[in-house]
Amino acid sequence: MVINKLQYLVFNYFIVSVWLINGLVCKMLNLVPRHQEIVGEILGNKYAPQLTILIGFSEIIMSIWILSRYKQQLNAWLQIGIILLMNCLEFICVPNLLMWGKFNLVFAVLFCGFIYYTNFILTKQ
């Protein structure tokens, strides 16, 4: 039981770090300009900087919500839904701007599986 709790904490902090790094570093601080380019291509260039910052802020809020463990299963389903929606849009609209092209979708699905495992399987053990 102790190993599962430690494994859960490590996995959960990893998930938090993904949201936090993508939100703060990649989007809000714009250290990965490709993210703003993706937003611009999908939602329009006029407001891409502002929308990218809002998306980044939302990702930081998501990381805080994960840490709070409030309504954990709802949070996990929202993460999975957001990740799949975002990656499907990028797959269709801007595969040329993705780090691994259309293969990004595979990593997104794997990450969703990791979130599911952490929040629904590991917590039951």
Side-chain angles (χ1 to χ4, degrees):
M1 193 58 113
V2 174
I3 291 175
N4 285 345
K5 186 172 184 175
L6 178 60
Q7 186 179 21
Y8 168 78
L9 288 173
V10 170
F11 287 5
N12 208 42
Y13 286 129
F14 174 75
I15 294 166
V16 166
S17 71
V18 170
W19 286 103
L20 191 58
I21 290 167
N22 273 291
L24 179 62
V25 176
C26 297
K27 293 183 181 78
M28 290 193 75
L29 297 176
N30 199 29
L31 294 179
V32 183
R34 179 175 43 81
H35 287 267
Q36 188 170 311
E37 290 176 43
I38 291 168
V39 171
E41 285 292 320
I42 294 173
L43 300 174
N45 286 317
K46 185 174 182 182
Y47 298 107
Q50 297 88 343
L51 291 171
T52 305
I53 289 171
L54 281 173
I55 293 167
F57 182 73
S58 300
E59 290 176 342
I60 293 169
I61 296 299
M62 179 65 81
S63 67
I64 293 167
W65 184 11
I66 296 166
L67 286 173
S68 77
R69 296 189 188 152
Y70 178 73
K71 298 208 180 225
Q72 204 168 339
Q73 291 183 338
L74 172 64
N75 177 280
W77 283 122
L78 273 172
Q79 288 180 70
I80 291 167
I82 290 166
I83 291 166
L84 291 176
L85 176 63
M86 174 186 65
N87 279 274
C88 285
L89 275 171
E90 292 169 347
F91 181 89
I92 294 165
C93 299
V94 289
N96 57 310
L97 292 177
L98 301 176
M99 186 179 288
W100 296 291
K102 291 188 174 189
F103 200 62
N104 256 40
L105 191 56
V106 173
F107 291 106
V109 170
L110 289 172
F111 188 56
C112 288
F114 185 74
I115 291 168
Y116 182 86
Y117 174 78
T118 302
N119 289 283
F120 295 99
I121 307 297
L122 198 56
T123 56
K124 298 283 188 221
Q125 296 176 350

